[in-house]
Amino acid sequence: VKAGYTDASIEGEYDDGTGEISDEVSFGGVRLGAGGEIDLSSNYAIRLEYRYSDYGNLELFGTDTGIGVSRNQGIITLLGKF
């Protein structure tokens, strides 16, 4: 089981024909996860993990877009033990 803080950033650029507008937004949020490990033999195992990150609403060019930003990750790892 895991819980923690995560940080992400998004860069945006737009050219309206009269000039280029750009902005970079960094925002943080909460990460939660759970996982486990299954032994296949004395030398190999599989690790399964799920992670969920929630960053709240996205704000671009100083305006709250009302778009919620989150990420779901599933990870499968084959382990070799020696």
Side-chain angles (χ1 to χ4, degrees):
V1 175
K2 70 168 54 179
Y5 175 80
T6 184
D7 188 62
S9 63
I10 295 176
E11 295 179 21
E13 294 181 4
Y14 176 72
D15 189 347
D16 64 359
T18 62
E20 188 174 285
I21 301 169
S22 64
D23 193 12
E24 180 177 352
V25 178
S26 293
F27 47 96
V30 177
R31 172 175 276 184
L32 304 171
E37 190 172 298
I38 301 166
D39 284 332
L40 299 175
S41 70
S42 61
N43 294 328
Y44 295 98
I46 291 179
R47 184 176 293 162
L48 305 170
E49 187 175 344
Y50 170 75
R51 299 175 187 170
Y52 172 74
S53 301
D54 185 356
Y55 299 99
N57 285 350
L58 177 63
E59 185 176 301
L60 291 175
F61 304 108
T63 304
D64 185 352
T65 63
I67 298 171
V69 179
S70 63
R71 179 169 70 177
N72 291 282
Q73 293 176 292
I75 300 166
I76 300 173
T77 307
L78 176 62
L79 302 172
K81 302 175 183 182
F82 52 93

PDB file of all heavy atoms in Angstrom, residues 8-11 18 27 35 44 46 48 52 56 58 60 62-64 71 77 79:
ATOM      1  N   ALA A   8       3.195  17.258 -11.400  1.00  0.00           N
ATOM      2  CA  ALA A   8       3.228  17.167 -12.863  1.00  0.00           C
ATOM      3  C   ALA A   8       3.237  18.570 -13.452  1.00  0.00           C
ATOM      4  O   ALA A   8       2.912  19.540 -12.773  1.00  0.00           O
ATOM      5  CB  ALA A   8       2.022  16.390 -13.375  1.00  0.00           C
ATOM      6  N   SER A   9       3.615  18.667 -14.720  1.00  0.00           N
ATOM      7  CA  SER A   9       3.567  19.969 -15.398  1.00  0.00           C
ATOM      8  C   SER A   9       3.095  19.779 -16.832  1.00  0.00           C
ATOM      9  O   SER A   9       3.278  18.719 -17.430  1.00  0.00           O
ATOM     10  CB  SER A   9       4.939  20.651 -15.381  1.00  0.00           C
ATOM     11  OG  SER A   9       5.880  19.905 -16.095  1.00  0.00           O
ATOM     12  N   ILE A  10       2.451  20.813 -17.342  1.00  0.00           N
ATOM     13  CA  ILE A  10       1.950  20.835 -18.720  1.00  0.00           C
ATOM     14  C   ILE A  10       2.397  22.142 -19.357  1.00  0.00           C
ATOM     15  O   ILE A  10       2.283  23.203 -18.744  1.00  0.00           O
ATOM     16  CB  ILE A  10       0.412  20.745 -18.772  1.00  0.00           C
ATOM     17  CG1 ILE A  10      -0.061  19.400 -18.233  1.00  0.00           C
ATOM     18  CG2 ILE A  10      -0.101  20.956 -20.183  1.00  0.00           C
ATOM     19  CD1 ILE A  10      -1.561  19.271 -18.163  1.00  0.00           C
ATOM     20  N   GLU A  11       2.913  22.046 -20.575  1.00  0.00           N
ATOM     21  CA  GLU A  11       3.287  23.237 -21.330  1.00  0.00           C
ATOM     22  C   GLU A  11       2.328  23.399 -22.490  1.00  0.00           C
ATOM     23  O   GLU A  11       1.982  22.428 -23.156  1.00  0.00           O
ATOM     24  CB  GLU A  11       4.709  23.107 -21.867  1.00  0.00           C
ATOM     25  CG  GLU A  11       5.763  23.045 -20.802  1.00  0.00           C
ATOM     26  CD  GLU A  11       7.149  22.885 -21.387  1.00  0.00           C
ATOM     27  OE1 GLU A  11       7.356  23.210 -22.583  1.00  0.00           O
ATOM     28  OE2 GLU A  11       8.027  22.433 -20.649  1.00  0.00           O
ATOM     29  N   THR A  18      -0.984  36.653 -34.737  1.00  0.00           N
ATOM     30  CA  THR A  18      -0.404  37.941 -34.380  1.00  0.00           C
ATOM     31  C   THR A  18       0.725  37.791 -33.375  1.00  0.00           C
ATOM     32  O   THR A  18       1.435  38.733 -33.102  1.00  0.00           O
ATOM     33  CB  THR A  18      -1.477  38.875 -33.767  1.00  0.00           C
ATOM     34  OG1 THR A  18      -1.986  38.280 -32.570  1.00  0.00           O
ATOM     35  CG2 THR A  18      -2.618  39.109 -34.749  1.00  0.00           C
ATOM     36  N   PHE A  27       1.399  21.471 -11.172  1.00  0.00           N
ATOM     37  CA  PHE A  27       0.399  21.237 -10.141  1.00  0.00           C
ATOM     38  C   PHE A  27       0.676  19.919  -9.448  1.00  0.00           C
ATOM     39  O   PHE A  27       1.289  19.022 -10.009  1.00  0.00           O
ATOM     40  CB  PHE A  27      -1.023  21.265 -10.708  1.00  0.00           C
ATOM     41  CG  PHE A  27      -1.215  20.476 -11.959  1.00  0.00           C
ATOM     42  CD1 PHE A  27      -1.710  19.186 -11.916  1.00  0.00           C
ATOM     43  CD2 PHE A  27      -0.889  21.013 -13.199  1.00  0.00           C
ATOM     44  CE1 PHE A  27      -1.888  18.452 -13.070  1.00  0.00           C
ATOM     45  CE2 PHE A  27      -1.072  20.287 -14.353  1.00  0.00           C
ATOM     46  CZ  PHE A  27      -1.566  19.000 -14.293  1.00  0.00           C
ATOM     47  N   GLY A  35      -0.457  -3.059  -4.185  1.00  0.00           N
ATOM     48  CA  GLY A  35       0.150  -4.087  -5.016  1.00  0.00           C
ATOM     49  C   GLY A  35       0.524  -5.306  -4.209  1.00  0.00           C
ATOM     50  O   GLY A  35       0.316  -5.365  -3.001  1.00  0.00           O
ATOM     51  N   TYR A  44      12.012 -16.797  -9.423  1.00  0.00           N
ATOM     52  CA  TYR A  44      11.198 -15.829 -10.166  1.00  0.00           C
ATOM     53  C   TYR A  44       9.928 -15.466  -9.415  1.00  0.00           C
ATOM     54  O   TYR A  44       9.379 -16.274  -8.666  1.00  0.00           O
ATOM     55  CB  TYR A  44      10.817 -16.388 -11.542  1.00  0.00           C
ATOM     56  CG  TYR A  44      11.999 -16.597 -12.448  1.00  0.00           C
ATOM     57  CD1 TYR A  44      12.571 -17.850 -12.590  1.00  0.00           C
ATOM     58  CD2 TYR A  44      12.542 -15.535 -13.133  1.00  0.00           C
ATOM     59  CE1 TYR A  44      13.664 -18.051 -13.405  1.00  0.00           C
ATOM     60  CE2 TYR A  44      13.647 -15.716 -13.956  1.00  0.00           C
ATOM     61  CZ  TYR A  44      14.198 -16.966 -14.092  1.00  0.00           C
ATOM     62  OH  TYR A  44      15.288 -17.150 -14.896  1.00  0.00           O
ATOM     63  N   ILE A  46       6.334 -12.484  -9.809  1.00  0.00           N
ATOM     64  CA  ILE A  46       5.625 -11.434 -10.548  1.00  0.00           C
ATOM     65  C   ILE A  46       5.129 -10.419  -9.528  1.00  0.00           C
ATOM     66  O   ILE A  46       4.577 -10.791  -8.491  1.00  0.00           O
ATOM     67  CB  ILE A  46       4.430 -12.000 -11.341  1.00  0.00           C
ATOM     68  CG1 ILE A  46       4.927 -12.867 -12.486  1.00  0.00           C
ATOM     69  CG2 ILE A  46       3.560 -10.872 -11.879  1.00  0.00           C
ATOM     70  CD1 ILE A  46       3.823 -13.479 -13.313  1.00  0.00           C
ATOM     71  N   LEU A  48       2.598  -7.176  -9.095  1.00  0.00           N
ATOM     72  CA  LEU A  48       1.457  -6.453  -9.663  1.00  0.00           C
ATOM     73  C   LEU A  48       1.217  -5.204  -8.825  1.00  0.00           C
ATOM     74  O   LEU A  48       1.244  -5.269  -7.586  1.00  0.00           O
ATOM     75  CB  LEU A  48       0.204  -7.330  -9.649  1.00  0.00           C
ATOM     76  CG  LEU A  48       0.323  -8.689 -10.320  1.00  0.00           C
ATOM     77  CD1 LEU A  48      -0.899  -9.532 -10.011  1.00  0.00           C
ATOM     78  CD2 LEU A  48       0.491  -8.519 -11.815  1.00  0.00           C
ATOM     79  N   TYR A  52      -3.004   5.302  -8.551  1.00  0.00           N
ATOM     80  CA  TYR A  52      -3.968   6.323  -8.951  1.00  0.00           C
ATOM     81  C   TYR A  52      -3.444   7.674  -8.483  1.00  0.00           C
ATOM     82  O   TYR A  52      -3.065   7.839  -7.317  1.00  0.00           O
ATOM     83  CB  TYR A  52      -5.339   6.061  -8.322  1.00  0.00           C
ATOM     84  CG  TYR A  52      -6.311   7.193  -8.540  1.00  0.00           C
ATOM     85  CD1 TYR A  52      -6.886   7.392  -9.789  1.00  0.00           C
ATOM     86  CD2 TYR A  52      -6.634   8.075  -7.522  1.00  0.00           C
ATOM     87  CE1 TYR A  52      -7.767   8.432 -10.005  1.00  0.00           C
ATOM     88  CE2 TYR A  52      -7.511   9.122  -7.737  1.00  0.00           C
ATOM     89  CZ  TYR A  52      -8.071   9.294  -8.969  1.00  0.00           C
ATOM     90  OH  TYR A  52      -8.935  10.328  -9.189  1.00  0.00           O
ATOM     91  N   GLY A  56      -6.438  17.310  -9.314  1.00  0.00           N
ATOM     92  CA  GLY A  56      -7.431  18.375  -9.210  1.00  0.00           C
ATOM     93  C   GLY A  56      -7.773  18.927 -10.583  1.00  0.00           C
ATOM     94  O   GLY A  56      -7.588  18.278 -11.609  1.00  0.00           O
ATOM     95  N   LEU A  58      -7.464  21.399 -13.910  1.00  0.00           N
ATOM     96  CA  LEU A  58      -6.419  21.998 -14.730  1.00  0.00           C
ATOM     97  C   LEU A  58      -6.681  23.484 -14.902  1.00  0.00           C
ATOM     98  O   LEU A  58      -7.791  23.897 -15.214  1.00  0.00           O
ATOM     99  CB  LEU A  58      -6.396  21.314 -16.101  1.00  0.00           C
ATOM    100  CG  LEU A  58      -5.416  21.849 -17.122  1.00  0.00           C
ATOM    101  CD1 LEU A  58      -3.985  21.672 -16.642  1.00  0.00           C
ATOM    102  CD2 LEU A  58      -5.615  21.141 -18.448  1.00  0.00           C
ATOM    103  N   LEU A  60      -5.227  26.727 -17.078  1.00  0.00           N
ATOM    104  CA  LEU A  60      -4.383  27.179 -18.187  1.00  0.00           C
ATOM    105  C   LEU A  60      -4.577  28.660 -18.437  1.00  0.00           C
ATOM    106  O   LEU A  60      -5.702  29.157 -18.428  1.00  0.00           O
ATOM    107  CB  LEU A  60      -4.710  26.409 -19.469  1.00  0.00           C
ATOM    108  CG  LEU A  60      -4.322  24.932 -19.494  1.00  0.00           C
ATOM    109  CD1 LEU A  60      -4.830  24.289 -20.775  1.00  0.00           C
ATOM    110  CD2 LEU A  60      -2.824  24.769 -19.382  1.00  0.00           C
ATOM    111  N   GLY A  62      -4.135  31.105 -16.635  1.00  0.00           N
ATOM    112  CA  GLY A  62      -4.765  31.786 -15.521  1.00  0.00           C
ATOM    113  C   GLY A  62      -6.245  31.511 -15.364  1.00  0.00           C
ATOM    114  O   GLY A  62      -6.913  32.157 -14.568  1.00  0.00           O
ATOM    115  N   THR A  63      -6.795  30.563 -16.111  1.00  0.00           N
ATOM    116  CA  THR A  63      -8.228  30.268 -16.065  1.00  0.00           C
ATOM    117  C   THR A  63      -8.451  28.808 -15.670  1.00  0.00           C
ATOM    118  O   THR A  63      -7.849  27.909 -16.246  1.00  0.00           O
ATOM    119  CB  THR A  63      -8.872  30.513 -17.456  1.00  0.00           C
ATOM    120  OG1 THR A  63      -8.600  31.849 -17.847  1.00  0.00           O
ATOM    121  CG2 THR A  63     -10.362  30.275 -17.415  1.00  0.00           C
ATOM    122  N   ASP A  64      -9.339  28.592 -14.703  1.00  0.00           N
ATOM    123  CA  ASP A  64      -9.709  27.235 -14.304  1.00  0.00           C
ATOM    124  C   ASP A  64     -10.569  26.637 -15.408  1.00  0.00           C
ATOM    125  O   ASP A  64     -11.636  27.147 -15.723  1.00  0.00           O
ATOM    126  CB  ASP A  64     -10.467  27.255 -12.987  1.00  0.00           C
ATOM    127  CG  ASP A  64     -10.771  25.867 -12.452  1.00  0.00           C
ATOM    128  OD1 ASP A  64     -10.531  24.871 -13.162  1.00  0.00           O
ATOM    129  OD2 ASP A  64     -11.261  25.779 -11.309  1.00  0.00           O
ATOM    130  N   ARG A  71      -4.665  10.193 -13.230  1.00  0.00           N
ATOM    131  CA  ARG A  71      -3.943   9.185 -13.986  1.00  0.00           C
ATOM    132  C   ARG A  71      -4.093   7.840 -13.279  1.00  0.00           C
ATOM    133  O   ARG A  71      -3.991   7.740 -12.064  1.00  0.00           O
ATOM    134  CB  ARG A  71      -2.465   9.559 -14.066  1.00  0.00           C
ATOM    135  CG  ARG A  71      -1.628   8.555 -14.817  1.00  0.00           C
ATOM    136  CD  ARG A  71      -0.258   9.058 -15.114  1.00  0.00           C
ATOM    137  NE  ARG A  71       0.551   9.155 -13.901  1.00  0.00           N
ATOM    138  CZ  ARG A  71       1.810   9.516 -13.906  1.00  0.00           C
ATOM    139  NH1 ARG A  71       2.395   9.849 -15.026  1.00  0.00           N
ATOM    140  NH2 ARG A  71       2.498   9.573 -12.795  1.00  0.00           N
ATOM    141  N   THR A  77       5.512  -6.596 -13.254  1.00  0.00           N
ATOM    142  CA  THR A  77       6.963  -6.737 -13.295  1.00  0.00           C
ATOM    143  C   THR A  77       7.351  -8.192 -13.078  1.00  0.00           C
ATOM    144  O   THR A  77       6.834  -8.860 -12.185  1.00  0.00           O
ATOM    145  CB  THR A  77       7.607  -5.884 -12.169  1.00  0.00           C
ATOM    146  OG1 THR A  77       7.140  -4.546 -12.263  1.00  0.00           O
ATOM    147  CG2 THR A  77       9.110  -5.902 -12.269  1.00  0.00           C
ATOM    148  N   LEU A  79      10.264 -10.522 -11.836  1.00  0.00           N
ATOM    149  CA  LEU A  79      11.465 -10.402 -11.008  1.00  0.00           C
ATOM    150  C   LEU A  79      12.314 -11.665 -11.119  1.00  0.00           C
ATOM    151  O   LEU A  79      11.788 -12.778 -11.086  1.00  0.00           O
ATOM    152  CB  LEU A  79      11.077 -10.216  -9.546  1.00  0.00           C
ATOM    153  CG  LEU A  79      10.194  -9.022  -9.216  1.00  0.00           C
ATOM    154  CD1 LEU A  79       9.741  -9.098  -7.776  1.00  0.00           C
ATOM    155  CD2 LEU A  79      10.951  -7.747  -9.460  1.00  0.00           C
TER     156      LEU A  79
END
